[in-house]
Amino acid sequence: MRSFHLVRANDRPAAVAEGAASHTAQQGASVRFLAGGTTLVDLMKLGVERPERVVDINRLGLDGIHKQANGDLFIGATARNSDLAHHPLVRDGYSALSQAILAGASTQLRNAATTAGNLLQRTRCMYFRDSASACNKRTPGSGCPAITGTNRMLAILGTSEACIANHPSDMAVAMMAYDAVVHVQGVSGDRQIRLMDFYVLPQQRPDIETVLAPGDLVTHVTLPPPPAGERSTYLKLRDRASYEFALVSAAAAITLSNGMIASVRFALGGVGTRPWRASEAERALVGQAPSEEAFRKAAEICLKGARPQTQNSFKVELAKRCIVHAFKQVVH
Ligand SMILES: Cc1cc2nc3c(=O)[nH]c(=O)nc-3n(C[C@H](O)[C@H](O)[C@H](O)COP(=O)(O)OP(=O)(O)OC[C@H]3O[C@@H](n4cnc5c(N)ncnc54)[C@H](O)[C@@H]3O)c2cc1C
Ligand code: SF4
């Protein structure tokens, strides 16, 4: 691992000022915030991340979880994934989020991993993690060996000719369905970013993954209160039952009124270059009876733009079945 300078930030302005010294907040950043370290330290050991300064943000008091006066759920940036998954407000009101977190990684990792770190984890594409390989995300312009190589796990939605890497987070998929808002403190003050607008598509610059700028410190995430009577679930399909990333996953939330679908929110994991909100398919479901046929039609809409690669065309049908099954679980 390249040598680096570790700084312990004692207040947020100091952390922001440290981060702002970097020329980018994306791949190649010379300053990185350290939360649980379960993504960052791995990538530093692999030589994929090579920050000169690492700013420990664990003493900033950003680990709260509570209901705000306006009814939103407040989730601190350094709240541990385990604490979030087991919090009564999450288990009771946002069960797909609790399930999504518990479906990821291992108990030990979830005890260390944090909210912001989870949202900002990096793709598991094997070429990205191997500094000896070409990779447009790690070294812009060097090429994408995954397109003709090993791509079974990678994305089928939102890809570009430059990159087909999928976003690996389970938690982010549930947060996407729950209309999460990311709160950021930066050099020009505080701002709020809908999670829908937080991640950018790879297009020609897959090294740029989010709208974050140097110095931007995620302070917390908020979730609006769920509609009365909403039921939700997270279904994760993977190669083995635990300690494995999703091939396909779905976070599905629904309310019924007089036997018909009154509101629906859903997002997919494992298949998109970012956690994939299925807005068009949601609109098609509202007002319908909650039948297998309606869910299948929504799944077809959701996957109509899929561009499978040489090894992952199976994900198209798997994703459709995952959506149908998740909704059947919720309504029955
Ligand atoms: C073996 C293994 C299996 C895993 N399996 C799964 C899985 O099945 N599903 C899943 O979803 N995840 C999985 N993960 C990923 C895991 O969830 C993430 O590594 C973890 O959530 C990252 O959180 P962290 O706090 O450790 O982040 P860190 O490593 O500390 O940080 C990650 C990135 O976020 C940035 N960052 C952190 N906090 C902030 C902040 N407040 N503001 C701005 N930037 C910030 C850091 O600078 C860094 O770039 C797995 C990880 C491992 C190692
Ligand atoms: S898919 Fe993206 S991350 Fe993977 S090798 Fe290609 S450019 Fe790199």
Side-chain angles (χ1 to χ4, degrees):
M1 194 191 310
R2 172 179 167 167
S3 64
F4 62 94
H5 189 64
L6 179 66
V7 184
R8 291 207 164 80
N10 290 318
D11 60 53
R12 293 190 215 175
V16 170
E18 285 282 355
S22 183
H23 66 292
T24 178
Q26 309 297 325
Q27 178 62 27
S30 56
V31 183
R32 280 291 188 204
F33 296 130
L34 176 73
T38 62
T39 284
L40 182 64
V41 175
D42 267 9
L43 293 179
M44 286 171 66
K45 286 184 192 161
L46 294 169
V48 174
E49 291 269 16
R50 298 163 64 84
E52 290 157 21
R53 291 174 83 78
V54 172
V55 183
D56 185 343
I57 58 168
N58 287 290
R59 292 183 187 169
L60 299 182
L62 298 174
D63 55 353
I65 302 169
H66 61 265
K67 191 180 260 192
Q68 296 185 154
N70 68 355
D72 286 0
L73 180 68
F74 173 105
I75 306 167
T78 57
R80 304 292 144 174
N81 288 178
S82 296
D83 294 338
L84 184 58
H86 294 295
H87 197 287
L89 288 171
V90 177
R91 280 204 319 253
D92 296 345
Y94 306 88
S95 60
L97 176 58
S98 178
Q99 292 170 38
I101 295 170
L102 294 176
S106 63
T107 306
Q108 290 87 346
L109 282 160
R110 293 192 296 267
N111 287 344
T114 64
T115 310
N118 194 320
L119 292 178
L120 290 164
Q121 64 175 284
R122 313 294 302 280
T123 184
R124 309 304 286 195
C125 173
M126 59 181 267
Y127 303 104
F128 172 71
R129 295 171 68 83
D130 172 13
S131 351
S133 296
C135 169
N136 286 328
K137 188 183 278 297
R138 183 169 26 76
T139 312
S142 62
C144 174
I147 289 174
T148 51
T150 300
N151 53 44
R152 179 174 176 273
M153 293 292 291
L154 301 186
I156 55 173
L157 291 167
T159 56
S160 72
E161 285 170 11
C163 181
I164 57 170
N166 56 343
H167 196 278
S169 172
D170 292 295
M171 186 196 79
V173 177
M175 286 196 171
M176 189 67 87
Y178 283 132
D179 300 305
V181 175
V182 181
H183 298 251
V184 170
Q185 184 169 340
V187 281
S188 322
D190 298 346
R191 65 190 202 282
Q192 304 179 7
I193 307 158
R194 294 187 322 157
L195 192 57
M196 290 265 278
D197 304 323
F198 185 73
Y199 299 106
V200 295
L201 292 173
Q203 298 179 335
Q204 292 313 305
R205 288 295 304 273
D207 55 311
I208 300 172
E209 296 182 348
T210 68
V211 297
L212 292 180
D216 278 349
L217 173 72
V218 176
T219 55
H220 60 286
V221 172
T222 50
L223 304 182
E230 186 178 70
R231 293 161 65 180
S232 66
T233 197
Y234 185 75
L235 180 61
K236 178 174 180 178
L237 306 180
R238 46 191 157 169
D239 282 330
R240 58 182 180 200
S242 75
Y243 210 37
E244 182 56 283
F245 290 89
L247 287 167
V248 175
S249 68
I254 201 163
T255 62
L256 300 177
S257 174
N258 298 322
M260 307 300 265
I261 298 170
S263 72
V264 56
R265 310 191 275 177
F266 81 97
L268 294 180
V271 287
T273 51
R274 60 185 181 195
W276 203 260
R277 182 77 184 249
S279 308
E280 190 188 346
E282 289 173 0
R283 286 192 290 276
L285 276 173
V286 173
Q288 304 290 313
S291 63
E292 177 154 356
E293 190 190 353
F295 298 140
R296 179 74 198 191
K297 205 176 279 180
E300 299 284 349
I301 292 171
C302 193
L303 273 299
K304 72 179 178 205
R307 287 180 53 194
Q309 307 299 326
T310 50
Q311 298 175 344
N312 66 6
S313 54
F314 73 95
K315 282 195 177 192
V316 178
E317 179 60 23
L318 193 66
K320 291 176 187 173
R321 292 184 189 190
C322 184
I323 293 166
V324 173
H325 202 68
F327 276 115
K328 282 169 75 179
Q329 274 185 0
V330 182
V331 296
H332 289 131

